[in-house]
Amino acid sequence: MATSVLKRKSGVIVGDDVINLFKYAQEHKFAIPAINVTSSSTVVASLEAARDKKSPIILQMSQGGAAYFAGKGVANDKQQASIAGAVAGANYIRSVAVSYDIPVVLHTDHCAKKLLPWLDGMLDADEAYYKEHGEPLFSSHMIDLSEEEVDFNIQTTAKYLKRAAPMKQWLEMEIGITGGEEDGVNNEDVDNNSLYTQPEDIYNIHKTLSAISPYFSIAAGFGNVHGVYKPGNVKLHPELLGKHQAYVKEQGGLKEDKPVFLVFHGGSGSSKSEYSTAISHGVVKVNLDTDLQYAYLTGIRDYVLKKKDYIMSQVGNPDGEDKPNKKYFDPRVWVREGEKTMSARVQEGLVDFNTAGTTVTGVNCANAQGADRLLCLIQDPYSGTFHADAFWASLGTSIAAMILITLAFSLMRPRNTIVYAPKVKYADEKHAPPKLGKGLFEWVGPVTRAKEGMLVEKTGLDAAVFLRFTRMLRNIFLSLGVIAIAVLIPANVIGSDKRAINQFSKGGQAFFMTMTPQYPDPRRTESLWVHVVCVWAIDLVVAFFLWRNYGAIVRLRRQYFDSPEYLQSLHSRTLMVTDIPPADRSDEGILRLSDQVEHTAALPRASIGRNVKELPDMIEEHNEAVRALESVLAKYLKNPDQLPAKRPTMKASKKYRANNGAHDVDAIDYLTSRIRELEIEITHVRESIDKRNAMPFGFASYERIEDAHTVAFAAKKKHPQGTTIRLAPRPNDLIWQNLPLSKKQRSWRRFWNNFWVAILTILWIAPNALIAIFLSNLSNLASIWPGFRDNFQRNHKTWAAVQGIASPALTSLIYLILPIIFRRMSIRGGDTTKTSRERHVATKLYAFFVFNNLIIFSVFSVIYSFVAAVVKNREKEDAWHAVIEGAFFFKLLGGLSQVSYFWVIWLLQRQLGAAADLAQMINLVWTWFCRTFMAPTPRQEIEWTAPPPFDYAVYYNYFLFYATVALCFSTLQPLVLPITALYFAVDYWLKKYLLLYVLITKTESGGQHWRFLFNRLIFAVCLSNIVMGLVIRGASGGWYKVYFMVPPGFLMLGVKWYCAKTFDNQMIYYTKATLKDPEHLAEPGKKVRKNDRIQSRFGHPALYKPLMTPMVHAKARHVLSEIYRGRLDNSDTASTTGYSDIAMDQMSHSHPGKTARFAPPAQKEMFEVVPESRLDFEHFKNRAEFADALGGNGELYGRPDDLISERSSTPRSFLGNGNASGNSSRASSPGGRSERSVSAHHQRVGGSPLTSPRDNAFQSNVHPAYRDDPSSGSYGDIGHQNRGRVMYTMSNESENRLLHGAQPLGHATPDENVGREAYGLDRWRTGGSGYMGLPGREIPDEGVTGYDYYRGRR
């Protein structure tokens, strides 16, 4: 800053401080305005402007102005009035200047030859003052002999400089005539050529005067004219000043590029570009007079015209004939109006000359370059981001755009039901939303009429909880918006210092500044008690809505527990046991562990986890290879009648290259071969799964939901053998690869996961700052990068378009990638369910956003300014006093108030995102682009028609972040509260439509996200309390008000504790009663039968999940024989069986109780041909390969993945008929069989059949997925899609006729040898011979229940 080079930081400066200030101005490319003052009034107006703009200033008196200072009635024939007035003015300025805390140069203006006695008298006063104070009275004087001969001018100036030099007093001289008239010196009729100084004269002056003293400056003429003139009358050529500098440097052999301190006379009326050019060539002083005289007049003139009826007499005005007018004609009133307008004009000059801000910490940010400019941008990255009209423009733009997008959606919706209402088409009757009419706004009625009960049924509990959370936020901020409008804004307006606001702002911006406590009136600090009261009110409002909605969520959960879907689901009665010690890793071990927690009326069916080895990775690689082959074929067969001359190639795997050379391979042949190899490997691995190599996790399923929940509740505080027992999630919610992890491994992974998230969050600070400073405002980049500046100026419109797209696009891309990164990190961190993974993703996203986008983004400049101030003050004070002098709280108040304008506009613009979500613009544009310019595969086209999943983690993070921002800035900028309420009010209805008609819940958690949301809102309120406390501390300067803001934080913690104690158990457990007499808790009249068993569905999907078959478009059917050169015959793969947790092997028809280990081989269909008419999710929604990613848990389509049949309490997915799906990797669809095979007839490619003959003798009235295949032999009852397909069909006994051919329960087959492993279902019972090598036991009598027998033998 400029004051860093000054010994005297404020008041009148002299000597070395003057030359140091001028050097600093040259280096940092700013000039100091010189203001002609004629009275104390004009002095005050000028000092106020400089103080408010944090700038140095030059106050100067002309000969006439000095005489006016003394009084026009004083004789001035010998310059006595001018001398007396100048001395009086100088003393007055010295007395008051220190109060304005800025450096002031005290100067006298034009002293022509005839006025030299005036200069002599002032030098006499200087010398007398110097003797007494050690410095001259004036900082500098000007001698103007430009009308005289050059030699006389130089010699006379040299004489006066010799007199001033001992006092280190500055002297300004003029060479070249300045046109126009000022203070009696009239040069209006001079030749224009005389207005331009020659470089030789400049050099001669510099050479002569520099030999005497360095304290001088030159006012060189370059076309200057005093007064305001019409453009074109006089041509200014400030570029001549650069030639003067270069000439002096060259002739004098000097090192400095700008060896001369130059002065710009006649500055009034000049353009900003002329100022900038002159300043860039070394001008350090610019004279302003005429503009300021007129500005002073306008304030008084306007006042007189406005109040003319009140100043025509002392008494009597429009308010009454007897009303006094003294307060209107008091000189202090109307003179002050002139001071205001003059001060405003001085401030404009300070900005135009780049002087504004040069006395604050840092550098001259208005015209800084390079590293200095970067520091300025870091210190104040939001300068210029808010203008008075920006709020209204953003409000109008966001609302208008939202209305237009909504209208466009209303027009397109009836014509694009696949995009805007896919659930109407795909959902079953129970879950299908209300049908919509074709009218423009006929979607509004069904959405508004949909109540919460319907939403739970149609969309699921997670979606209903999300909408309730959104509605809660809307209600919270509507309530807080009322407080903001009725209390906070009036309190801030009343408590603001209007004078300071008017000085620091213009026009409409002052209106918004009065709404903040940025400039508190020191006389009204008690108004800040309103903020304290509002903090209490805000906390109470939020606490009330949290408590009220917590109870509502509990009611929803209880209704969910009583719903048929939950009561008939398997996971509702299943426990998940993890961290099982080796000794208990068996089905019987799980029974022991559960019994140690709580006795139940019936013995659960237990299932220990299998070690699936590398099977999941192999299946994933297989599926990726299938997708790669589909992509290759789609591109190659895009125009099947004109195939490319060259077949597609690709780079093979490292293993292949190591054995066959590093050359590209035929993509089709390589991928088909790789798929075949993987299929064979998968087959072998599935058949070699070691049933005895159990994993440290398992499941226990009960016949009664009450039993499972009672045990789970009791297990909260019990961990038998170090295990963890809790309610099992839905099967599709499990992350299987993390279940085998031990507690230590999970803790260690969680530590490293959090560590890397913290590192990523910190590393993002720098890119985030660079995007905010430069990419969002390319002019900032141009200001520090000269190479880019020229291109930016030449192609301004182009770069403006780039600026409008680049920053939002880059940040949007990053925020799309960020959840993906956090999801992968959460999986690596040991999350065992997708629900917990999503919760942790939302938690990390929220922490990332709050830290980077709120805290760092909002206070970075404050911290920078504070640290810089402390470092500077540390040079002269101890560390503690340096910190105090840094005024952290005051800087924090100012910084947060400034950035609050940004958040106001930013929140307004969120409306656009809400409307864009409704219009599904991204999906529409991306799908159109892919269909038009790319070659999508059939699978991709099918997936595009599916209802997209809703990303709860992302939207919960967004909503929590918006709420946190609004709460933190609620007292700083109360407008954020009604604006946030507007956003949630609109987005609630838009999201309601999307969740009802478009989006699905991929993994239903049953509303388990609520506690995470509750806790984050508690945190947001506590954080906002801290911010509000710091704001009040910065505004009032005391802590006592802050102390009264501490209790609300404890109130919020108390609400959290109360809700957790009151509601949590009700929300988690169906019941938590302790079973004291298990036998009597059984349903009345129902005997606990030994053979009533719940078959576990919690087996690893890798054991039975169907594999994908490559899909090709039907239009390419006729060329498949030409492009496919592979062969898959009967030797390619052995029989492959599916597995369940009940029977690891498929059951044989001919040998009850025995496994069918070797099924007859079959022919493989290599490709699945999909006609264009079948490229619809409707035909594939029940296939595992599509349902996993797009079908949720199947409930939406009437096929829940863990529903138990009413007849046998057996999971539907285990049944062979009914509504259960077959095991085909290409699951059933309502269509015919044309899509199932390359051809209905035999097709041969290179002599090898691609399809096998179809058996026409299947039941015509049975769904194709479940028609019997007489030729399947010991495959059992498998859908017709499995015929002839070994490579892609993993026959799954767990899903197809599980009990077919099973031996009777509890009995061995006649030929069973002693000691052989029993494969009957009773091996799950303690009386059978378990697969873990447990000793055999006799089967209990029919009259003894398994539960009693188990406990008796234990």
Side-chain angles (χ1 to χ4, degrees), residues 1011-1329:
R1011 288 190 296 167
F1012 151 75
L1013 302 172
F1014 178 87
N1015 291 334
R1016 293 308 170 278
L1017 272 182
I1018 294 288
F1019 167 81
V1021 173
C1022 293
L1023 178 63
S1024 69
N1025 289 352
I1026 294 173
V1027 173
M1028 295 173 195
L1030 295 176
V1031 167
I1032 291 178
R1033 171 64 179 83
S1036 65
W1039 285 102
Y1040 62 100
K1041 292 184 180 69
V1042 179
Y1043 297 148
F1044 285 91
M1045 298 173 61
V1046 175
F1050 289 100
L1051 168 68
M1052 298 307 299
L1053 296 178
V1055 170
K1056 171 179 168 56
W1057 177 85
Y1058 170 79
C1059 290
K1061 294 286 290 184
T1062 306
F1063 298 123
D1064 278 3
N1065 288 333
Q1066 299 181 53
M1067 189 165 63
I1068 298 172
Y1069 301 105
Y1070 183 84
T1071 181
K1072 53 187 175 64
T1074 303
L1075 301 178
K1076 300 300 183 183
D1077 188 3
E1079 291 293 342
H1080 289 87
L1081 289 176
E1083 294 181 14
K1086 180 178 178 181
K1087 182 179 179 181
V1088 180
R1089 294 176 299 167
K1090 178 178 60 178
N1091 291 338
D1092 256 353
R1093 302 292 177 257
I1094 297 178
Q1095 312 301 328
S1096 174
R1097 180 65 178 88
F1098 291 88
H1100 199 298
L1103 294 172
Y1104 57 82
K1105 183 178 180 180
L1107 300 180
M1108 293 164 53
T1109 300
M1111 291 181 169
V1112 295
H1113 289 286
K1115 65 181 180 180
R1117 180 200 308 267
H1118 62 285
V1119 298
L1120 284 177
S1121 60
E1122 302 175 20
I1123 60 102
Y1124 176 62
R1125 301 188 295 213
R1127 173 185 176 87
L1128 290 176
D1129 54 23
N1130 294 350
S1131 64
D1132 281 340
T1133 172
S1135 170
T1136 307
T1137 59
Y1139 303 97
S1140 74
D1141 289 319
I1142 305 308
M1144 290 298 294
D1145 294 304
Q1146 195 173 17
M1147 308 308 294
S1148 171
H1149 281 276
S1150 57
H1151 298 83
K1154 301 299 181 180
T1155 60
R1157 288 186 174 270
F1158 301 100
Q1163 195 70 28
K1164 171 71 175 63
E1165 295 175 4
M1166 185 62 212
F1167 299 103
E1168 178 178 3
V1169 175
V1170 185
E1172 294 297 320
S1173 60
R1174 299 291 183 184
L1175 294 176
D1176 193 317
F1177 184 66
E1178 173 67 22
H1179 304 296
F1180 300 88
K1181 62 186 180 184
N1182 294 321
R1183 288 204 191 178
E1185 60 200 88
F1186 291 98
D1188 286 348
L1190 302 168
N1193 69 337
E1195 187 174 326
L1196 177 67
Y1197 312 124
R1199 303 170 61 87
D1201 61 355
D1202 67 339
L1203 186 64
I1204 300 174
S1205 69
E1206 297 177 0
R1207 179 177 59 83
S1208 63
S1209 296
T1210 302
R1212 290 175 54 178
S1213 55
F1214 291 163
L1215 302 179
N1217 291 305
N1219 292 327
S1221 67
N1223 182 53
S1224 170
S1225 65
R1226 298 190 297 273
S1228 62
S1229 70
R1233 59 181 183 168
S1234 61
E1235 66 179 277
R1236 304 287 186 221
S1237 62
V1238 173
S1239 173
H1241 304 286
H1242 295 284
Q1243 291 187 9
R1244 294 186 176 273
V1245 181
S1248 298
L1250 289 178
T1251 60
S1252 58
R1254 293 284 186 179
D1255 188 347
N1256 295 323
F1258 55 86
Q1259 306 168 32
S1260 60
N1261 62 338
V1262 180
H1263 192 283
Y1266 313 114
R1267 293 170 184 165
D1268 293 334
D1269 184 358
S1271 65
S1272 62
S1274 61
Y1275 265 81
D1277 183 14
I1278 303 175
H1280 79 280
Q1281 290 85 352
N1282 291 337
R1283 284 193 302 267
R1285 294 190 295 108
V1286 176
M1287 182 172 181
Y1288 288 92
T1289 304
M1290 298 297 102
S1291 178
N1292 186 357
E1293 182 68 26
S1294 69
E1295 295 188 4
N1296 298 276
R1297 301 192 62 173
L1298 175 67
L1299 304 180
H1300 188 83
Q1303 74 177 57
L1305 295 175
H1307 299 280
T1309 56
D1311 59 344
E1312 183 174 38
N1313 296 324
V1314 178
R1316 284 192 61 187
E1317 183 177 6
Y1319 285 89
L1321 295 179
D1322 256 11
R1323 65 177 181 167
W1324 251 252
R1325 304 302 294 173
T1326 56
S1329 56

Side-chain angles (χ1 to χ4, degrees), residues 694-706:
M695 302 302 289
F697 68 90
F699 302 90
S701 296
Y702 291 80
E703 294 186 17
R704 290 164 41 90
I705 296 177
E706 293 88 343

